[in-house]
Amino acid sequence: MSVATIGALYGVATLVVMFSGIPIAFALGTVAVVFMYFFMPGAALDTVTQNVYEEMSSITLLSIPLFILKGAAIGKSRAGADLYSAIHAWMKKIPGGLGIANVFACALFAAMAGSSPATASAIGSAGIPEMRARGYSPRLAAGIIAAGGTLGILLPPSITMILFAVASEQSLGRLFLAGVGPGLMLVALFAGYTAVRFQKEAAAALVEYERTGVRPSHLEERELTLREKTRMLPKVLPFVLLLIGVMVALYGGIATPSETAGLGAVLAMALIAVVYRVWRPKDLKPILTGTVKESTMLLFIIGMSLLYSYVMSYLHISQSAAEWVVSMQLSRWVLLTAVLLFVVVLGFFLPPVSIILMTAPIILPPLKAAGFDLVWFGVVMTVVMEMGLIHPPVGLNIFVIKNVAPDIPLKDIVWGVMPFVGLMAVAVVLMCFMPGIATWLPDAVLGVR
């Protein structure tokens, strides 16, 4: 049987098993083992455990559970709500300031947690009710949090970036730094849209007030004094210092990424013990159990995805696909466009973890041969996968928001996120025309390669 036929069967089998409803990790593992049985030597099945263990023994992957622990310590304590409240108090006077405050809160929380669903859940549980109570439409409130949550896979420490570093054999520190510029650009785009959109909604509300004479309750909210605002800062500053300390340790060459993850987890646990008195076993249980569940889920997906990629490589499916793409002799920008559209389609159905580990063996060699910087491409691909987190039919953050605010119709959540999907597409185009948005910071800090 030809490699092309085997590759086609491999792809079809993967889609069939995934659409059957089997969890992604077991779907990938099942397809890999079945093809090992039929198309690889019999002894290959005896090495499944060894292959998975060897693929997962990367020291870089060790940082994932530790970053998750740090995020859980913040997200499952009152730290997330306090962070949001302080930013809101200081930005309330700005037009659309509450929405912008939520964007900034998502960015800060994402930089500490490294997870998009965790960010959307932690900030959304407090932010969506507050925005709706202050005159934001359910559609806009849901869109702000769903889109802001996606920053968790772009801003360091990003679990997605860790996996891309492993798959592409690129420097994790350089990838983390490359995500900062585009992350700040997206924050600015989201904040600008939020301000403009809220002003339109406020103008419509004012017209309704003049028509009915009923003053919206959110206009009666009392303004906080400077003393009350200042009193909120001490609970937020320790976590800002934690974020700064972790970044300095990582980029200052003081610690490796895995050591930095451990340092961040330990400091986060210490801070919630000191600031919020979270140290008793019953208080720590949801943090630790949440960390174990999310880490286990991710590592299962990673292990099975790596086994899936190993089988693809052994059967020469990935190499043949890459050679076929190169043989088409597409111009480099047409090639990039085709790859990104491919990632967009995969984003309809798969999470970023699976997309990276399944596609890296196929798409990275042609892109490297075409002269693209893989660190830059990693950032562009991450933004495209961010779009997948909030566009239907399987945008994960859409369902996170539905869980946080069950009374908002799913239709409103979907329409609320679509403008932010457009802003992400604009960001991708800008990075293609101005790659320095992603590359200037790693080049400045770590030197030009």
Side-chain angles (χ1 to χ4, degrees), residues 91 144 446:
M91 299 189 65
I144 290 170
L446 302 176

Side-chain angles (χ1 to χ4, degrees), residues 7 13 42 60 62 104 119 142-143 234 288 290 300 317 342 353 370 373:
T60 305
L62 175 63
F104 286 169
T119 301
L288 298 178
F300 256 114
I317 297 172
F342 177 53
V353 171
D373 181 347

Side-chain angles (χ1 to χ4, degrees), residues 176-194:
F176 275 178
L177 284 171
V180 173
L184 295 177
M185 177 176 65
L186 282 176
V187 169
L189 290 172
F190 291 170
Y193 170 77
T194 298

Side-chain angles (χ1 to χ4, degrees), residues 283-299:
D283 298 326
L284 294 175
K285 183 178 178 180
I287 295 173
L288 298 178
T289 54
T291 299
V292 170
K293 287 180 180 178
E294 188 171 347
S295 299
T296 302
M297 176 190 70
L298 272 175
L299 291 174

